Amino acid sequence: MPLATDVAKLSLTEESKQPIAEPGTELASTEESSKGEETKQEEEEIVDPSELSRSIDRLLFEYCELIDNYQSIRTRVSHLFADGFFNLAQANYGRTRGRFGQDQYHGNMSAAKVIDVTEKQYAPIYSSIDEDVLYCDWAIKDAAIPVDEKAEAEAKEKEKLAREVTDLKNIEEIKEKVSATGSEDTDTTRRRKGIEKKDKAAGTIEEETKEKSEEVKEESKPETVRKPRIPLNMDPIRWFGILVPQQLRMSQRCFNEATEAIAEMLTVISRLDALEKHIAEVRKL
Amino acid sequence: MSQTAANRSFIAVIGDEDTVTGLLLAGTGHLTEDKKKNFLVVDNKSSVDDIEAAFDDFTATRKDIAVLLINQHIAEKIRYKLDGYTNAFPAVLEIPSKDHPYDPEKDSVLRRVRRLFGE
């Protein structure tokens, strides 16, 4: 720790009986290593005899930073809500009757966005207690889309049927073509040849269609994997109709962002709570 | 992870129609198997008792709510309840509404901060 020794030197020049910086303060000094002379002076203060109250000051400083963070997120949330309401009002304005509201809420809605809370810990930079502070990290995550086995089986069956129908159609078309060419022949030998040809052609074309259907199978498979269908009760924009105004989509975007910001804000509040308790503990010492 | 936070995942809302519509658009709306909503639309007809009942339901009875969002002007009506609420889960957060922009003077977090600094 070269900086700790720097600090020790500085403090020695001022007073010879200085306590040595403890782990928490060393951490602080390494973090601020690149900040020029002002920070050096600050570090000199860390090893001051009245260290404990100073460390509380520093904890309070960190606390203030969190409050600042909280307020900026608050402002952002307020703006996002205001934009969301404005877009919703515009969407309503363009409507000939009624408004986008509770009459259209889905009768069996299911949450598409849920909160995920995880407990985390962090060490306050300026703490005099060598102890991690526990706080909760809030995050918005997408809810799992339920697998509807019945619907999936039905969809698969429909796909199969559709494929079979197209195969049959192809074969019929080919047979028709071949029979058309066959009827043009007048000579019996030609006709016989034609029949042979027809059989051959039908055989090769049937093979072709098989290949084609296989290709279709291969193409369709990844598509079904790529697109898990969101059920209507989890897709709120669809509750309000098929062709909803652009403003309603914009409003949805604003509220989506607002919920994300709210999760962020809850994390900051949780850190504030944790730090508050920590400060109370340090004050008791 | 504390036991109280486990299985809590839904965002509950007590607000005016536009606020609820907006947050439902964001995908927060949920009905339980016994058709219990995680939101309450407050209009002119709603009484303070209704709001109180919904608040108690979301914060005390139900165990699947992670956060309760409430319009600040509605929170004012049940302020004494909010001031007495100290649990970490579900978290209660006041949000602005269409007709009532957010007032920092009434912010519970900032009021707590003032207390910490001894004001």
Side-chain angles (χ1 to χ4, degrees):
Chain A
M1 287 278 174
L3 249 148
T5 49
D6 278 358
V7 175
K9 272 181 198 171
L10 275 164
S11 58
L12 277 170
T13 50
E14 205 175 81
E15 257 184 70
S16 53
K17 288 179 185 176
Q18 292 285 357
I20 300 158
E22 57 179 87
T25 51
E26 275 181 21
L27 188 81
S29 58
T30 45
E31 290 226 349
E32 292 177 3
S33 58
S34 59
K35 286 187 185 171
E37 293 220 343
E38 270 183 41
T39 45
K40 273 192 180 177
Q41 278 174 353
E42 271 183 29
E43 278 150 12
E44 200 180 336
E45 283 169 20
I46 293 172
V47 285
D48 205 67
S50 55
E51 188 202 44
L52 198 61
S53 67
R54 295 275 181 189
S55 92
I56 285 178
D57 283 349
R58 277 155 200 286
L59 283 172
L60 286 173
F61 182 74
E62 197 174 333
Y63 188 78
C64 289
E65 274 181 341
L66 278 175
I67 294 167
D68 184 52
N69 199 349
Y70 167 77
Q71 282 182 310
S72 67
I73 300 172
R74 254 288 170 218
T75 321
R76 187 145 54 92
V77 168
S78 289
H79 284 308
L80 284 168
F81 267 92
D83 288 350
F85 290 135
F86 180 73
N87 282 314
L88 186 60
Q90 277 204 318
N92 279 327
Y93 183 73
R95 253 192 144 197
T96 44
R97 61 184 172 147
R99 56 202 295 269
F100 295 105
Q102 53 182 331
D103 294 340
Q104 286 115 323
Y105 294 169
H106 197 278
N108 193 26
M109 61 177 84
S110 182
K113 294 275 165 69
V114 289
I115 289 267
D116 187 30
V117 187
T118 45
E119 216 162 57
K120 285 190 177 175
Q121 50 188 12
Y122 83 108
I125 304 167
Y126 306 119
S127 176
S128 57
I129 304 176
D130 191 19
E131 194 181 89
D132 283 347
V133 174
L134 284 171
Y135 73 100
C136 291
D137 187 68
W138 298 67
I140 298 275
K141 64 169 186 183
D142 293 334
I145 296 168
V147 184
D148 194 348
E149 283 177 10
K150 263 190 186 175
E152 229 173 58
E154 272 176 28
K156 268 187 185 175
E157 240 169 62
K158 269 187 189 173
E159 224 175 78
K160 236 186 184 180
L161 272 173
R163 218 179 286 147
E164 276 170 16
V165 168
T166 48
D167 285 357
L168 276 173
K169 268 186 186 173
N170 282 343
I171 291 164
E172 274 171 20
E173 272 176 25
I174 291 152
K175 276 183 181 171
E176 270 174 27
K177 269 185 195 172
V178 173
S179 61
T181 51
S183 65
E184 278 170 14
D185 296 325
T186 46
D187 200 333
T188 46
T189 49
R190 272 187 186 178
R191 204 176 286 165
R192 207 177 290 152
K193 274 181 186 175
I195 292 161
E196 276 169 18
K197 268 184 191 174
K198 200 201 306 180
D199 288 343
K200 271 185 186 175
T204 49
I205 288 158
E206 261 177 75
E207 274 175 20
E208 268 178 36
T209 49
K210 267 185 190 174
E211 277 173 357
K212 266 186 190 175
S213 64
E214 273 171 10
E215 273 173 33
V216 171
K217 267 185 201 172
E218 279 171 5
E219 275 172 21
S220 62
K221 266 184 187 172
E223 256 179 51
T224 48
V225 175
R226 239 182 282 144
K227 274 189 181 177
R229 254 189 107 219
I230 303 167
L232 178 66
N233 62 345
M234 283 177 81
D235 195 3
I237 199 94
R238 275 157 63 199
W239 306 344
F240 300 98
I242 305 160
L243 290 166
V244 291
Q246 188 60 28
Q247 286 92 340
L248 195 69
R249 290 185 188 280
M250 278 156 80
S251 173
Q252 186 186 32
R253 223 169 292 147
C254 291
F255 282 107
N256 273 338
E257 276 182 48
T259 44
E260 298 273 348
I262 282 170
E264 215 179 300
M265 183 153 63
L266 286 164
T267 305
V268 173
I269 292 173
S270 176
R271 286 184 74 158
L272 273 170
D273 280 344
L275 201 57
E276 227 169 78
K277 278 178 199 155
H278 189 75
I279 290 169
E281 277 171 30
V282 175
R283 268 180 177 168
K284 274 182 203 165
L285 292 174
Chain B
M1 174 60 96
S2 55
Q3 280 295 311
T4 47
N7 304 323
R8 288 186 181 272
S9 58
F10 295 121
I11 304 166
V13 194
I14 298 178
D16 58 21
E17 192 174 2
D18 277 355
T19 307
V20 175
T21 303
L23 287 164
L24 254 53
L25 270 175
T28 61
H30 189 83
L31 283 182
T32 57
E33 280 174 10
D34 49 347
K35 299 286 169 199
K36 274 192 164 182
K37 297 176 200 165
N38 68 336
F39 57 89
L40 174 78
V41 177
V42 178
D43 52 22
N44 298 332
K45 293 170 205 159
S46 309
S47 66
V48 177
D49 289 342
D50 294 339
I51 302 165
E52 270 181 20
F55 182 84
D56 288 338
D57 184 36
F58 294 147
T59 55
T61 318
R62 287 181 65 165
K63 306 291 177 208
D64 56 350
I65 307 288
V67 56
L68 169 62
L69 304 176
I70 181 166
N71 275 149
Q72 199 178 33
H73 74 280
I74 295 166
E76 277 304 299
K77 292 179 184 172
I78 53 162
R79 179 58 67 195
Y80 72 97
K81 252 190 188 292
L82 264 98
D83 286 344
Y85 183 79
T86 50
N87 295 354
F89 289 100
V92 177
L93 202 65
E94 289 170 42
I95 50 169
S97 65
K98 191 178 173 184
D99 305 316
H100 303 80
Y102 196 76
D103 181 3
E105 281 300 307
K106 292 168 189 163
D107 190 304
S108 55
V109 174
L110 295 181
R111 282 199 303 185
R112 214 176 54 210
V113 171
R114 274 189 222 122
R115 243 194 338 265
L116 185 88
F117 285 101
E119 274 179 39

